[in-house]
Each structure stands twice: as C-alpha cells, then as structure tokens.
C-alpha cells in the first residue's frame, strides 16, 4: 500500500490538511501508559515512579480545578502574546533577510549571535527592563519564539523560485506587489513550520 | 521595421580571488525586425540565455545597450513577455488567475481585462481548465498557460527561454506545433533560445548561431519556408543539416579557444 504523503499545506486544495493516521499517536500513548502502569506496580515506590492511576486522577481533576484553570488561561494568554509579537517581528525580519542579500548580510551577525544566548540568562535583564509581572515572561516567550520563526521565514523566502519573482516583475509588479503576491504565498509553508516551532519554543520558556 | 536592437553587448561575470572574470559575451550586435521569429541557437554555455535574460531586463549588460523601439531596456517591463524554462507559473494561482496576473498592473478596465483573459484561454485551448492549479496540468498545458500569461499584457516582443528544454522527443514536436500556432496567431515578434536545431528550423524565420567564443555570431541564417513546416520535407532537412554543421563549428570554436589556452600554458 502506498503511504499517504505527510503534507501540512496542500497547494492544490489551498487548505490545511490533517494527516489521517493521527490515531497511531494515540496507540503509542496507550502502550506507554500501560508500560507505566505495570512498571509502577513492580517498583512500588511513589518517589521513583508515582502510580499511573493516581497521576491520571490528578490530571483529570486538574481540568475542573478553578485555580489550575485560571493559571492555565494566564499562561496561554502569555504564550499567545509572546508568540504573536514573535510572528510580527520574525515575519518582517525574515522577509527582509530572505529577499535581500544586503539585509541578510547586514543583520545576520546580530541575529546569529543573539539567538545563541541561553534563554535563562535573559531572566535578570528582562526583570530590570520590564519589572516584575507580565513583562519579563512575555519577553522570554518572545525571545524563544522569534528565532525559529525568523530562520524559517528567511529559508522560505530565499527558496522561492527566483523566476517567479522575475515573472511578476516582467508583468509590471512593484516591490509591494511582489511581497503580497509572490513572497507571502510562496513562503507560507515555511512560515507555518516556523509558527509551529515558535509556539513550541514559547511553551518551553513558560516559567 | 526594426524592433529589437542588440547594440555591442558585452557581459562579464565578475570573478573572485579563486576564479578570474568570465567573459560570457563580447561585442555582440544584431537587430530583430518587427514580426520576426528569431532563434538563438548554440551549444550550452555560449551565453544565449544570458543574452535573453538581458533582453528581459533581469540582468544588466556590462557594456552596450539593448533597444526596444529605440528605447533602452532598463529592468523588466510589461512590454516584453517572458516565458521561462520551467514556465514559472504561480503554483498557488489557478490557470485563470495566472493568465490574469499578466494583466493585473495594466491600465485597462476590468471588463477589458476579463475579455482579454477569456480570449487567451480560448486561444490556448484551456477551456474547462480555468480553475485548475498548475500542478494539475500536463506539461503541454503548463506551457500554453505560460505563453498565454506572457502574451496577456500585449507585449511588443515575446522572449522564450528554452521553453521545451526538459521535454522528451515525441512530446517536443507536439508542443512545438502548439507553440508555433500560438505565436503565429498572436502576430508577435519573438526571440527564442534553444539548443535543438530541428526546433529552431521549425519555429523561426531567422536563426542566429552563437559560438562558444564569447557568443561570437557564427551565422545569421534565414529560413524562408512556408509556415506549418513539414519536418519530413527535403528543404527542412537541408536546413537542419546546414545548421547542425554550423552549430558544430560554433562548438569547436570553444575547443580551439580552450586548446589555445592550454598551448599558452605549455609555452
């Protein structure tokens, strides 16, 4: 049997396509849970491996616990805000750097050195900059989300067939027309990958 | 009447520390008349595509000028329709949107544009496929969309960069027929780059053979056969034979240049 292609962006149908064997993930999850269940029965020490049943109950009651849920929404809001800023900044920088070699050469030393800084080292500085409260958290989420996004957008824009840009220019398109009609749709698949990585990165730096 | 004039074009690709400058074209001059179909024929690497790219305005000559109706070409423009080797159709646009894009930035009214797109879809025999995406089309249909898109904005010249380069032999002849028909119907001046001798004889009024020696013009060959040419006719075969030997000369120019280079080193 032919394996279905795992594409997340279907150019033909112009929509996101969910891969139809997602159930495989649930099967693996269930197998892992079963291993956990039997392992915890054998180990009999809650400190080393808490029992599966207790953890499952805690997990489920957490969803109805008011305190847990308010905190969950606060975190979600922070992640969305941080990732949102990252999408705006990353897309603009990414398009600039992907489209123009000059912009790329001008910005890549800064971008490439800043993105190596471990996220935790930003903590003291961000507290000094933004004070205590929402500010530093959103900043940290932004910092860990913006680089994977930028790099993906750069890659997506740079890999657009140069002839597509030439073609639209030969039909009289201006730079803004080219960005709207060629660059944005052409880089969209990479942009989506970037957003996925950005959201992942954002969640990881939630403190 | 003179339409396109290539005036003393030289193109040098700047080298770096490891590689010396590469002279691709040196002092090339010729002109193309209104309504003519001209093929640039030559071995790969002779600079024919570079020359076409400069006519398209995507590349600037190092020295010399290219004039269209007396105006110097500076950058790409809608008065020159360009058909790319890989067609460069916009993958996220339908057939109709692709063709309409060629008119998007013209000053015509919405109705006139609509009318023009309809006419081109008809001419390219794409009826019923308007809503398809390029990926869903056969190679031949993709080519017709590309030509229709390039013709949409009423360009003065059509520039074709090896439009049939990657197509197998049998399909090629079929697509040559289609391309020939479309260009004849559009009554347009056209320049096509190719390395296929029989294709150039089938399509063009004039074949300019460029040599490997910085694009030196080996021959400016006129073909005066009636249209919808018969590939089996004696005259056709004679043209092919003559041009083939000219291309061989064009190719050997490179070898002599290369040998000269080696000889120099030996000395």
């Amino acid at each position: 049997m032919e394996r279905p292609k795992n594409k997340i962006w279907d150019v033909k149908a112009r929509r996101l396509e969910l891969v139809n064997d997602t159930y495989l993930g649930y099967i693996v999850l269930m197998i892992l849970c079963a291993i956990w269940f039997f392992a915890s029965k054998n180990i009999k020490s809650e400190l080393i491996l808490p029992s599966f049943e207790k953890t499952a109950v805690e997990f489920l009651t957490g969803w109805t616990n008011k305190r847990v849920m308010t905190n969950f929404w606060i975190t979600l809001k922070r992640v969305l805000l941080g990732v949102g800023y990252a999408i705006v900044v990353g897309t603009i920088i990414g398009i600039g750097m992907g489209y123009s070699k000059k912009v790329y050469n001008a910005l890549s030393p800064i971008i490439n050195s800043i993105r190596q800084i471990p996220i935790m080292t930003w903590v003291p500085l961000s507290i000094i900059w933004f004070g205590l409260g929402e500010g530093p958290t959103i900043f940290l989420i932004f910092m860990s989300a913006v680089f994977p996004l930028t790099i993906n957008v750069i890659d997506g824009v740079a890999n657009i067939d140069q002839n597509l840009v030439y073609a639209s220019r030969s039909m009289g398109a201006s730079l803004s027309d080219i960005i709207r009609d060629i660059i944005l749709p052409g880089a969209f698949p990479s942009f989506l990958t970037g957003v996925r990585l950005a959201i992942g990165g954002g969640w990881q730096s939630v403190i | 009447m003179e339409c396109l004039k290539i005036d003393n074009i030289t193109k040098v690709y700047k080298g770096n520390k490891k590689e010396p400058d590469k002279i691709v074209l040196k002092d090339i001059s010729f002109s193309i008349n209104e309504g003519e179909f001209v093929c640039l024929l030559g071995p790969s690497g002779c600079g024919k595509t570079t020359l076409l790219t400069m006519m398209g305005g995507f590349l600037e000559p190092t020295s010399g000028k290219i004039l269209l109706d007396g105006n110097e070409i500076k950058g790409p423009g809608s008065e020159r329709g360009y058909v790319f080797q890989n067609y460069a159709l916009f993958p996220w646009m339908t057939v109709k949107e692709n063709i309409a894009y060629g008119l998007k930035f013209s000053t015509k009214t919405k109705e006139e544009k609509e009318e023009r797109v309809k006419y081109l879809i008809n001419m390219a025999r794409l009826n019923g496929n308007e809503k398809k995406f390029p990926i869903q089309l056969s190679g031949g249909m993709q080519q017709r969309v590309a030509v229709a898109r390039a013709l949409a904005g009423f360009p003065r010249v059509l520039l074709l960069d090896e439009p049939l380069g990657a197509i197998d032999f049998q399909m090629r002849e079929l697509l040559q027929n289609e391309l020939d028909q479309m260009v004849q119907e559009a009554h347009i001046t056209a320049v096509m780059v190719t390395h296929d001798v029989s294709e150039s004889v089938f399509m063009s009024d004039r074949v300019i053979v460029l040599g490997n020696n910085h694009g030196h013009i080996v021959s400016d060959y006129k073909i005066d056969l009636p249209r919808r040419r018969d590939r089996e006719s004696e005259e056709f075969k004679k043209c092919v034979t003559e041009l083939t030997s000219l291309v061989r000369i064009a190719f050997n120019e490179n070898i002599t240049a290369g040998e000269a280079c080696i000889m120099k080193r030996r000395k």
Side-chain angles (χ1 to χ4, degrees), chain A residues 11-14 160-161 163-174 177-178 180-183 185-187, chain B residues 53 57-58 75-78 80 82 84 86 88-94 97 101-102 104-105 133 135-136 149:
Chain A
V11 180
K12 271 193 234 172
R14 287 183 153 190
I160 292 173
D161 182 359
N163 284 345
L164 295 182
V165 176
Y166 281 165
S168 67
R169 279 177 70 195
S170 79
M171 292 165 202
S174 66
D177 297 323
I178 292 171
R180 191 190 60 232
D181 297 335
I182 313 299
I183 304 294
Chain B
T53 314
F58 306 126
S78 56
R80 279 155 288 141
Y82 205 100
F84 294 87
N86 60 358
L89 299 175
F90 306 123
W92 47 85
M93 293 185 198
T94 61
E97 287 167 337
Y101 200 85
K104 193 171 178 183
F105 308 105
F133 287 91
I135 199 172
Q136 296 168 287
R149 185 180 68 176

Side-chain angles (χ1 to χ4, degrees), chain B residues 71-192:
Chain B
N71 305 312
E72 189 177 347
I73 287 172
K74 282 183 173 159
S78 56
E79 72 284 353
R80 279 155 288 141
Y82 205 100
V83 179
F84 294 87
Q85 190 167 10
N86 60 358
Y87 306 139
L89 299 175
F90 306 123
W92 47 85
M93 293 185 198
T94 61
V95 166
K96 196 179 173 188
E97 287 167 337
N98 258 292
I99 296 174
Y101 200 85
L103 277 169
K104 193 171 178 183
F105 308 105
S106 89
T107 50
K108 298 210 161 19
T109 65
K110 218 178 156 193
E111 289 75 30
E112 283 175 310
K113 287 182 186 177
E114 194 72 27
E115 193 62 32
R116 177 73 176 156
V117 172
K118 238 186 205 165
Y119 168 81
L120 286 164
I121 286 175
N122 238 326
M123 175 182 161
R125 292 179 291 114
L126 289 161
N127 308 72
N129 297 304
E130 293 94 331
K131 294 217 168 83
K132 284 190 181 162
F133 287 91
I135 199 172
Q136 296 168 287
L137 303 176
S138 68
M141 277 153 95
Q142 288 184 10
Q143 170 189 262
R144 300 203 298 267
V145 176
V147 175
R149 185 180 68 176
L151 289 172
F154 297 99
R156 290 281 292 130
V157 283
L158 186 63
L159 305 171
L160 305 122
D161 181 13
E162 297 201 44
L164 307 173
I167 291 161
D168 62 72
F169 181 71
Q170 291 85 356
M171 192 68 184
R172 236 179 136 107
E173 292 200 340
L174 203 75
L175 296 191
Q176 283 165 10
N177 295 349
E178 287 186 343
L179 189 59
D180 184 47
Q181 195 183 339
M182 280 189 85
V183 175
Q184 294 302 322
E185 267 178 51
H187 302 291
I188 193 170
T189 313
V191 185
M192 181 165 97

Side-chain angles (χ1 to χ4, degrees), chain A:
Chain A
M1 228 182 82
E2 206 179 310
R3 257 186 92 225
K5 270 186 194 156
N6 186 355
K7 21 176 197 184
I8 56 152
W9 173 248
D10 191 345
V11 180
K12 271 193 234 172
R14 287 183 153 190
R15 64 184 161 80
L16 276 168
E17 196 179 61
L18 283 173
V19 184
N20 53 8
D21 16 324
T22 38
Y23 66 92
L24 287 174
Y26 295 107
I27 292 177
V28 171
L29 192 65
M30 276 155 74
I31 293 170
L32 283 176
C33 286
I35 293 172
W36 181 2
F37 178 81
F38 290 112
S40 67
K41 283 264 183 283
N42 279 329
I43 292 171
K44 285 178 189 142
S45 162
E46 292 280 302
L47 195 64
I48 296 169
L49 188 66
S51 86
F52 174 71
E53 306 97 292
K54 274 188 191 166
T55 318
V57 169
E58 278 303 312
F59 175 73
L60 293 173
T61 49
W63 288 96
T64 51
N65 185 322
K66 211 172 164 227
R67 205 165 58 89
V68 174
M69 281 328 276
T70 41
N71 280 306
F72 171 73
W73 287 116
I74 289 170
T75 309
L76 186 66
K77 205 183 116 199
R78 285 173 183 161
V79 170
L80 287 181
L81 261 173
V83 172
Y85 288 132
I87 288 175
V88 174
V89 175
T91 309
I92 293 170
I93 297 179
I95 288 176
M97 286 175 76
Y99 187 71
S100 155
K101 196 82 199 155
K102 272 186 192 157
V103 177
Y104 181 86
N105 286 334
L107 293 184
S108 68
I110 310 170
I111 301 266
N112 280 328
S113 49
I114 292 180
R115 83 186 167 89
Q116 311 298 340
I117 299 173
I119 197 72
M120 284 304 149
T121 51
W122 288 104
V123 174
L125 202 57
S126 66
I127 290 171
I128 293 166
W129 282 348
F130 300 100
L132 290 165
E134 292 287 277
T137 329
I138 293 172
F139 175 74
L140 292 177
I141 294 169
F142 168 81
M143 282 311 263
S144 49
V146 73
F147 295 111
L149 188 94
T150 310
I151 287 163
N152 267 285
V153 174
I154 293 173
D155 196 54
V157 174
N159 280 324
I160 292 173
D161 182 359
Q162 186 61 32
N163 284 345
L164 295 182
V165 176
Y166 281 165
S168 67
R169 279 177 70 195
S170 79
M171 292 165 202
S174 66
L175 181 62
S176 58
D177 297 323
I178 292 171
I179 289 176
R180 191 190 60 232
D181 297 335
I182 313 299
I183 304 294
L184 288 179
F188 194 68
S190 304
F191 170 78
L192 281 186
T193 312
V195 170
R196 281 169 62 167
L197 290 173
I199 292 173
W203 273 115
Q204 279 173 25
S205 54
V206 165
I207 309 162

